[in-house]
Amino acid sequence: MTHSDKPTPLRSRASGPLTGKVRVPGDKSISHRALILGALAVGETRISGLLEGEDVLNTAKSMQALGAQVQRTGDFAWKVQGVGVGGFAQPKAALDFGNSGTGCRLVMGAVAGCPISAIFDGDASLRSRPMRRILDPLEKMGARVVSGGEGGRLPLTVQGARDPLPITYKTPVASAQIKSAVLLAGLAAPGTTTVVESEASRDHTELMLKHFGADITSVQEGQHGRRITLVGQPELHGANVVVPADPSSAAFPIVAALIVEGSDIVLSDVMTNPLRTGLFATLREMGASIEESDVRGDAGEPMAQLRVRASKLRGVEVPPERAPSMIDEYLVLAVAASFAEGTTIMRGLQELRVKESDRLEATADMLRVNGVKVEIAGDDLIVEGRGHVPGGGTVATHMDHRIAMSALVMGCASDQPVTVDDTAFIATSFPDFIPMMRSLGAEFS
């Protein structure tokens, strides 16, 4: 299956300058974690700016199924009454995460520390994605996989540990999902649970655990790594969380404004956590005009207003150690690289092969079908920018929201329109993407 039951194709064509001020949706990573930690806390958690896309709503439903009270109180405003660490109840039905690997994997960690069993399931795309790297450390902590698909694929049943064990675990790759699953399971274990990363991944879980009252420390390990230590069995307390705007979602209007001549847009409240802003750093190296103002923070997460103006971009080499800070943004970076002058080399993209689709191959296909010269060399993506993109192609999205949005951004400045075969899955992360881009001046039809 490579598209939704009712495909929604869309065509993007070159527009006039993009202008205006918008706020992209709340950060998906923060939204998932606020719901999960609110459910594991004692007392009430109030969340504002929550991303109300399908992925996050499925996490909210799973928290309800596990015994927490979760209520929408207004636009992007939610209230969670938690059950406490280790307090999840046996769900009556399978937990369905739709397209969300993040929600599924984090909740696996939270369930692994509770003496209950739960069935984890999702859509056809999620069922095809490997879970073994998450399950390995959880099994060391005492959880068991009772049943599941080949290679730890969904649907699978996880039996949480009655007496979870604290462990020291070195992650095989830089992965915030693996780290977070271990830390969430470690909440219910006595003693200290430690995660060692040779390369630092996103630290949203650590920052939010601290915000909810956990005793957690993070220190440098080697040149690029971190050692994170969590003291188990805390009493987390309910907290207020303001969810910043998602830099991964902001990436799409940012690149669109950079490549459409004469554009000048402002994005408010965008998260500027340095472990999430690899794309901004790369675009600036390419010559992009991205200015920050009104810098502030909440729950440990910095945010700022960004002004983005059309810029002449040049090709650059992106080092592999930057990948964890921009792993979801390489697709739209490849679009920017297509409009740049010169060659852009993106190194160390192996993690793109195990996302919603094989994003490395899908990104190359998106560029090729629109006349861009591109090559995959091992785990590196090499894009030959010529300052313009011929366009005229139809992009297969493979049920992947980021491919769909990246292709629509490409069409905003290509010589000929770009057609996307199915935009239905954009709703998983950015429900208002199409009307928001139209409000800035993009021409989608």
Side-chain angles (χ1 to χ4, degrees):
M1 184 175 180
T2 58
H3 52 70
S4 56
D5 292 337
K6 295 181 179 178
T8 310
L10 197 65
R11 176 175 289 183
S12 173
R13 57 173 46 86
S15 69
L18 304 181
T19 57
K21 180 177 181 178
V22 293
R23 188 189 197 278
V24 300
D27 183 76
K28 184 158 61 166
S29 297
I30 302 301
S31 296
H32 283 303
R33 287 160 174 81
L35 289 166
I36 294 168
L37 288 177
L40 290 170
V42 173
E44 182 178 279
T45 290
R46 289 189 172 269
I47 308 167
S48 60
L50 189 88
L51 170 63
E52 294 179 343
E54 292 172 10
D55 285 3
V56 173
L57 295 181
N58 283 328
T59 293
K61 290 173 187 173
S62 75
M63 293 302 98
Q64 288 175 313
L66 290 163
Q69 296 177 37
V70 182
Q71 179 184 356
R72 186 177 189 267
T73 58
D75 289 346
F76 318 112
W78 291 67
K79 181 171 68 173
V80 182
Q81 193 72 33
V83 296
V85 169
F88 280 160
Q90 180 87 23
K92 294 184 173 68
L95 305 176
D96 185 349
F97 291 91
N99 194 242
S100 178
T102 300
C104 181
R105 291 172 176 136
L106 267 57
V107 175
M108 272 184 193
V111 164
C114 301
I116 62 169
S117 65
I119 301 169
F120 290 78
D121 205 356
D123 64 13
S125 171
L126 191 57
R127 283 186 171 194
S128 72
R129 294 162 67 184
M131 299 290 165
R132 181 38 60 190
R133 291 194 310 206
I134 299 291
L135 298 171
D136 285 344
L138 298 182
E139 289 177 333
K140 293 179 188 295
M141 302 177 83
R144 289 190 305 116
V145 178
V146 178
S147 64
E150 183 183 350
R153 284 174 168 77
L154 306 185
L156 59 80
T157 302
V158 174
Q159 173 67 55
R162 187 161 297 280
D163 297 301
L165 303 170
I167 63 171
T168 295
Y169 189 72
K170 185 168 185 176
T171 57
V173 294
S175 168
Q177 293 179 0
I178 298 174
K179 172 179 63 179
S180 299
V182 174
L183 293 173
L184 290 170
L187 284 170
T192 59
T193 293
T194 301
V195 178
V196 180
E197 299 184 299
S198 57
E199 202 159 308
S201 66
R202 298 174 177 184
D203 62 353
H204 304 312
T205 300
E206 299 96 299
L207 293 172
M208 193 163 289
L209 277 166
K210 189 169 288 188
H211 184 63
F212 276 82
D215 183 352
I216 184 168
T217 58
S218 177
V219 297
Q220 188 164 340
E221 178 86 2
Q223 190 172 0
H224 300 294
R226 304 295 294 175
R227 175 179 289 264
I228 303 103
T229 303
L230 171 73
V231 178
Q233 300 181 332
E235 181 171 296
L236 302 180
H237 52 76
N240 293 334
V241 178
V242 177
V243 179
D246 187 350
S248 297
S249 295
F252 300 101
I254 285 173
V255 170
L258 291 173
I259 64 176
V260 176
E261 190 174 348
S263 295
D264 187 346
I265 68 170
V266 174
L267 304 173
S268 59
D269 303 333
V270 178
M271 179 199 287
T272 53
N273 182 315
L275 291 170
R276 289 288 299 281
T277 54
L279 175 71
F280 302 165
T282 302
L283 289 172
R284 286 178 174 127
E285 288 172 5
M286 297 173 76
S289 174
I290 304 173
E291 297 174 5
E292 291 185 13
S293 61
D294 191 21
V295 179
R296 60 197 190 285
D298 183 86
E301 297 288 354
M303 63 184 87
Q305 177 171 279
L306 303 182
R307 183 182 182 185
V308 185
R309 285 176 279 194
S311 306
K312 290 196 178 300
L313 304 177
R314 57 183 175 273
V316 296
E317 182 168 334
V318 189
E321 57 268 21
R322 196 174 288 171
S325 69
M326 56 182 295
I327 195 64
D328 289 327
E329 285 79 71
Y330 280 106
L331 291 79
V332 76
L333 175 61
V335 172
S338 301
F339 286 91
E341 293 284 355
T343 302
T344 295
I345 304 173
M346 296 166 245
R347 299 202 181 277
L349 308 190
Q350 60 269 24
E351 278 298 292
L352 288 185
R353 297 191 184 276
V354 291
K355 291 288 187 176
E356 282 82 339
S357 61
D358 182 337
R359 282 184 171 164
L360 195 51
E361 292 289 350
T363 301
D365 289 344
M366 171 182 69
L367 302 187
R368 285 191 193 106
V369 78
N370 285 290
V372 178
K373 187 176 179 184
V374 59
E375 177 187 351
I376 296 174
D379 292 321
D380 300 341
L381 186 67
I382 303 166
V383 179
E384 302 285 350
R386 293 183 292 173
H388 73 101
V389 169
T394 296
V395 175
T397 59
H398 305 285
M399 301 169 64
D400 192 321
H401 51 125
R402 295 196 192 282
I403 294 172
M405 290 186 281
S406 297
L408 291 172
V409 167
M410 176 180 280
C412 289
S414 57
D415 300 343
Q416 298 295 322
V418 172
T419 302
V420 173
D421 71 344
D422 189 6
T423 59
F425 283 86
I426 290 175
T428 65
S429 68
F430 200 156
D432 294 328
F433 171 74
I434 292 169
M436 179 180 288
M437 290 298 295
R438 284 175 172 153
S439 77
L440 292 172
E443 296 193 12
F444 299 159
S445 61

